[in-house]
Amino acid sequence: MRGSSECAWLTSGRDIAFARARFYDLPMSAEAANDAEICDVRVLHQDAVTQTRRALPDDTLLANTAELLKLLSDPTRIRVLSALRVCELCVYDLAAVLGMSESTVSHQLRVLRAARLVRHRKEGRHVFYRLSDEHVFSILDAARDHTQE
């Protein structure tokens, strides 16, 4: 467990609700109180609070990060990125690999290009797509590894 031994880390929205109820002395059922992983005492750990506040990214960076994660929450986009992780492909090839229409693939590629997750290059009449950089590989790997734990 991270942090102070006096306080369990909140791990879900439910835990946060329990903590708020406890902090503000709101009524909580006995069953809910037994399920809650919250502090038994209300003590503010000022050093930890100060250190954490200083380390938090600014609101713009947090909003941009949330937008990226929202964009990556679409299974179709993850499939497109996963296919491009193997090698660069044109829209026609991607559609064949993924079993989707060219229109659907093209739309997803536009969204991914706007987010700078994929790049393209032209070769004659063909346009080939690939992942933008190593960061995209890392994001996909981290997400896959986390879901397999």
Side-chain angles (χ1 to χ4, degrees):
M1 180 181 306
R2 293 178 265 165
S4 170
S5 61
E6 294 177 25
C7 183
W9 281 81
L10 304 177
T11 58
S12 71
R14 191 184 76 180
D15 292 341
I16 292 169
F18 289 137
R20 285 186 182 135
R22 187 97 182 252
F23 183 79
Y24 293 109
D25 292 324
L26 299 174
M28 187 181 339
S29 70
E31 179 182 327
N34 290 336
D35 285 347
E37 294 181 9
I38 59 174
C39 300
D40 290 329
V41 293
R42 290 185 295 192
V43 176
L44 183 64
H45 301 93
Q46 189 60 52
D47 291 344
V49 170
T50 301
Q51 177 184 1
T52 303
R53 280 187 179 156
R54 285 185 185 141
L56 283 177
D58 65 50
D59 289 344
T60 302
L61 181 57
L62 290 173
N64 291 342
T65 302
E67 283 300 315
L68 174 65
L69 293 174
K70 195 183 318 181
L71 181 120
L72 292 173
S73 70
D74 184 293
T76 301
R77 292 186 195 122
I78 295 295
R79 290 182 72 211
V80 170
L81 292 170
S82 295
L84 293 176
R85 191 182 191 299
V86 177
C87 66
E88 69 175 21
L89 297 164
C90 70
V91 173
Y92 183 77
D93 293 339
L94 267 170
V97 167
L98 301 174
M100 298 178 188
S101 71
E102 292 174 48
S103 175
T104 299
V105 170
S106 183
H107 169 73
Q108 297 301 336
L109 288 168
R110 272 193 303 277
V111 172
L112 293 169
R113 273 184 63 198
R116 299 183 339 252
L117 293 172
V118 298
R119 292 184 188 179
H120 71 285
R121 71 174 179 84
K122 290 186 176 186
E123 185 177 294
R125 297 176 62 193
H126 297 281
V127 179
F128 291 92
Y129 290 86
R130 67 184 181 280
L131 298 182
S132 290
D133 57 35
E134 288 298 317
H135 291 113
V136 182
F137 284 92
S138 299
I139 292 167
L140 291 172
D141 289 345
R144 184 196 61 232
D145 292 348
H146 183 74
T147 58
Q148 290 178 339
E149 287 181 350

